[in-house]
Amino acid sequence: MSSVDTQTRFEPDSKRFDLISWPGLAAVLLALSAFVLFGLGTTFPELRAFGYAPMVASLIVAWMADREFARDLSVIAGCLGLISSISVAADISWSNIARMGVVLSAVVIGPWLITRYGFRDRTIVFPLRRGQKWSRMEWAWLAFVIVVAWLVLPQYFMRTGVYLNWPPVTQWDEIVRLFFGVNAVGIWDELFFICTVFALLRKHFAFWTANVFTTIIFVSFLWELGYRSIGPVLTIPFALVQAYIFTRTKSLPYTVTVHLLFDALVFLTIVYAHHPEALPIFIGV
């Protein structure tokens, strides 16, 4: 894998702003909005509605600062607003799967259509890197992810009790729905947070600035999904690394594979936590 590019081939030329700037303030406010809507608002539901105030403020600041930046930030804000209209807490009922499917699909397809055909902009892309084999380092990273997830996830889920945020699957159809849900959300995470949110922010900010903003939004979402307690200790590094991998490899399939391997261990851990006798594959828990 090559070093991190300051301009990847799927990122258009665009002026980039410093963190200490009006666009930087707008991005901070939007990240704060996500933190309140999905993070703080999950723990303290009475505070959730206050998350829309920094969102509105971020858009005002953005439109006062730069038109091109403002329209991209508006796309992200609109998506976060739409996601906040539903609960993303772990729920594998068919009705919730359908509801989340519609909303989460809309916030991936919508921004692509708006930017591609409305803004005539090709920032949001889904690079496949066809015809290029994965390097030994990339294969080694996949093995590393499996080992780390196998060692760490059972400790986190079971010692903190966060596995209780997922339904206690008892029937085969529930296990299948849990497997489908975990993997579907994992794929969506990369399509939305990396290919959409990170890509739009990366267009206007330096790599690590955009990465940190994206991580705050992503980890806030994961908190509502169920990764609570010390969850951010695991999800923050994971989010930062995923954007790094995506930028280095320029390969959505590889980035998704990393995520799905991690989520496969999440799925197995949740099943094990509820039914340890049926899946004795972990140690030390």
Side-chain angles (χ1 to χ4, degrees):
M1 293 185 289
S2 60
S3 59
V4 174
D5 300 322
T6 55
Q7 285 285 356
T8 65
R9 63 177 175 82
F10 50 87
E11 291 171 347
D13 291 329
S14 179
K15 59 184 175 182
R16 290 201 164 93
F17 302 104
D18 294 329
L19 175 59
I20 308 302
S21 64
W22 288 114
L25 174 60
V28 168
L29 288 169
L30 189 61
L32 175 62
S33 172
F35 171 74
V36 176
L37 286 172
F38 307 115
L40 193 63
T42 297
T43 306
F44 304 101
E46 65 275 11
L47 300 179
R48 187 180 180 96
F50 289 101
Y52 296 107
M55 179 182 291
V56 173
S58 74
L59 295 179
I60 293 173
V61 172
W63 281 103
M64 291 175 61
D66 183 88
R67 181 177 180 275
E68 184 179 5
F69 168 71
R71 71 184 190 183
D72 289 337
L73 198 73
S74 296
V75 169
I76 299 173
C79 291
L80 297 181
L82 184 57
I83 295 171
S84 71
S85 68
I86 64 171
S87 170
V88 297
D91 178 354
I92 58 173
S93 65
W94 285 116
S95 60
N96 190 62
I97 289 175
R99 181 166 51 250
M100 286 186 65
V102 170
V103 171
L104 299 188
S105 296
V107 299
V108 169
I109 298 171
W112 182 81
L113 291 174
I114 291 170
T115 57
R116 181 64 59 90
Y117 298 105
F119 301 164
R120 303 295 177 182
D121 182 280
R122 298 180 66 87
T123 300
I124 298 176
V125 293
F126 309 100
L128 301 180
R129 205 182 72 174
R130 293 188 182 94
Q132 296 184 43
K133 295 181 179 180
W134 292 351
S135 68
R136 290 182 179 179
M137 180 63 73
E138 288 167 344
W139 282 106
W141 181 255
L142 296 182
F144 175 78
V145 168
I146 293 173
V147 172
V148 171
W150 179 73
L151 290 173
V152 173
L153 288 176
Q155 306 298 327
Y156 162 59
F157 273 85
M158 298 191 68
R159 294 187 184 278
T160 64
V162 297
Y163 72 91
L164 297 173
N165 293 331
W166 279 261
V169 289
T170 56
Q171 305 297 322
W172 280 108
D173 66 310
E174 293 176 330
I175 295 175
V176 170
R177 274 182 278 153
L178 176 65
F179 178 81
F180 170 80
V182 168
N183 285 278
V185 171
I187 295 171
W188 175 84
D189 284 340
E190 302 303 325
L191 295 176
F192 178 66
F193 291 108
I194 300 299
C195 293
T196 304
V197 176
F198 171 72
L200 290 175
L201 292 174
R202 177 71 179 95
K203 177 181 173 183
H204 302 284
F205 296 102
F207 171 83
W208 285 110
T209 303
N211 197 0
V212 169
F213 283 141
T214 303
T215 295
I216 294 171
I217 297 171
F218 180 32
V219 171
S220 298
F221 170 85
L222 290 179
W223 183 273
E224 180 175 356
L225 186 62
Y227 293 86
R228 300 170 198 165
S229 183
I230 62 169
V233 174
L234 303 178
T235 56
I236 288 174
F238 180 79
L240 291 171
V241 169
Q242 283 299 93
Y244 184 79
I245 290 172
F246 179 75
T247 304
R248 292 188 68 175
T249 64
K250 302 178 180 64
S251 172
L252 176 61
Y254 181 79
T255 310
V256 168
T257 299
V258 173
H259 197 130
L260 292 186
L261 285 175
F262 189 87
D263 281 353
L265 271 298
V266 169
F267 165 75
L268 292 174
T269 298
I270 293 172
V271 174
Y272 173 83
H274 287 289
H275 310 285
E277 72 288 345
L279 200 66
I281 62 173
F282 299 107
I283 60 175
V285 289

